[in-house]
């Protein structure tokens, strides 16, 4: 569905981890990058399943490997990244604008935790992806966000409401981090939300909206997909 908050518009996919099959994808058994939504849809055919929704699911390096934690089907393919980068805020890559966080799910539940808390609590997770910055952290907007910022870009992210509802959100225009965070907290009532990607990178697969975005620069790294 499409929602409006303030003067901006967003595409929202609403899910429940206790009833929807959500997976995280990166490469096949032979190490070949999926890179896009159509490749995942094709990979589901032998299972008699199909792709209902997908979104690029976190930061990745130039070689498309995950920047941080990446867990698929209970297997850790990339470790939690606890590195700290210092310097001017404008020069720090988004992933390292702490607090950053982890979106995780499995066994009928989903959650978002700040990376340090995820490391300490070590919740059981069948799937997990680390990204940053946190947009909303325990009801608070990330302290580095500027209310009247002119850094306006397409962005996508995920939020988990107190009742366990999962919201995947894609901007329908260019917004600042602050505007995006408010859409989660004030528009959707989310207490914890995580930025996934921005700039040229965000993409979404949503047949109901006739969306099948093609990735730029050769493909996506991690991809979150809802399977039917």
């Amino acid at each position: 569905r499409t929602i409006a908050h303030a003067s901006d518009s967003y595409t929202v996919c609403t899910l429940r981890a206790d009833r929807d099959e959500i997976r995280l994808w990166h490469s096949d058994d032979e190490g070949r990058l999926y890179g896009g939504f159509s490749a995942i849809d094709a990979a589901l055919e032998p299972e008699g399943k199909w792709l209902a929704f997908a979104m690029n699911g976190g930061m990745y390096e130039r070689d498309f490997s995950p920047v941080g934690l990446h867990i698929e089907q209970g297997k850790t393919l990339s470790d939690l990244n606890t590195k700290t980068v210092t310097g001017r805020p404008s020069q720090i890559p988004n992933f390292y604008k702490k607090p950053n966080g982890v979106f995780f799910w499995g066994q009928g539940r989903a959650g978002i935790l700040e990376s340090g808390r995820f490391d300490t609590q070590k919740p059981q997770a069948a799937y997990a992806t680390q990204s940053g910055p946190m947009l909303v952290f325990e009801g608070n907007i990330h302290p580095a966000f500027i209310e009247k910022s002119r850094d306006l870009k397409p962005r996508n992210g995920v939020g988990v409401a107190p009742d366990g509802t999962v919201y995947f959100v894609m901007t329908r225009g260019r917004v600042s981090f602050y505007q995006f965070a408010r859409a989660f907290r004030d528009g959707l009532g989310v207490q914890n939300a995580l930025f996934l990607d921005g700039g040229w990178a965000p993409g979404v697969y949503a047949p109901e909206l006739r969306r099948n975005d093609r990735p730029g620069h050769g493909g996506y790294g991690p991809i979150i997909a809802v399977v039917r």
Side-chain angles (χ1 to χ4, degrees), residues 14 26 34 42 64 85 88 91 94 102 137 140 154 159-160 163 176 181 196 220:
T14 305
H26 185 271
Y34 287 108
F64 301 102
V85 175
R88 294 181 180 179
Q91 297 176 337
N94 287 328
V102 177
F137 176 51
N140 298 304
V160 179
D163 67 356
S176 67
L196 293 175
Y220 299 125

Side-chain angles (χ1 to χ4, degrees), residues 73-105:
Q73 298 180 339
K75 297 180 180 179
T76 301
L77 305 182
S78 178
D79 293 330
L80 190 76
N81 186 335
T82 59
K83 179 180 177 181
T84 296
V85 175
T86 59
R88 294 181 180 179
S90 61
Q91 297 176 337
I92 298 175
N94 287 328
F95 182 93
Y96 297 103
K97 292 177 180 176
K98 295 187 176 182
N100 54 18
V102 177
F103 170 51
F104 63 95
W105 64 99

Side-chain angles (χ1 to χ4, degrees), residues 160-162 167 183-191:
V160 179
Y167 297 103
F184 276 102
R185 188 190 69 177
D186 304 337
L188 294 170
V190 166
Q191 296 297 300

Side-chain angles (χ1 to χ4, degrees), residues 96-154:
Y96 297 103
K97 292 177 180 176
K98 295 187 176 182
N100 54 18
V102 177
F103 170 51
F104 63 95
W105 64 99
Q107 299 182 337
R109 63 184 291 266
I112 294 175
L113 283 173
E114 182 270 329
S115 295
R117 293 191 179 187
F118 185 92
D119 193 26
T120 300
Q121 297 180 17
K122 294 179 170 53
Q124 290 187 342
Y127 297 91
T129 181
Q130 185 184 10
S131 192
M134 293 278 288
L135 296 167
V136 184
F137 176 51
E138 295 186 351
N140 298 304
I141 292 176
H142 194 292
F145 296 169
I146 300 170
E147 184 172 355
K148 297 185 182 298
S149 171
R150 295 183 179 179
D151 181 19
L152 308 180
K153 296 177 181 177

Side-chain angles (χ1 to χ4, degrees), residues 155-223:
R155 306 179 191 273
N156 70 318
V158 59
V160 179
D163 67 356
T165 301
V166 179
Y167 297 103
F168 292 106
V169 181
M170 170 72 75
T171 63
R172 291 174 60 87
R174 297 174 180 271
V175 302
S176 67
F177 271 126
Y178 184 85
Q179 291 167 319
F180 199 30
R182 284 202 57 193
F184 276 102
R185 188 190 69 177
D186 304 337
L188 294 170
V190 166
Q191 296 297 300
N192 291 285
L194 182 66
F195 174 70
L196 293 175
D197 218 335
W200 56 265
V204 64
Y205 176 90
E208 294 176 8
L209 301 177
R210 298 181 180 179
R211 290 279 299 272
N212 184 7
D213 298 345
R214 293 184 178 182
H217 295 264
Y220 299 125
I223 295 175

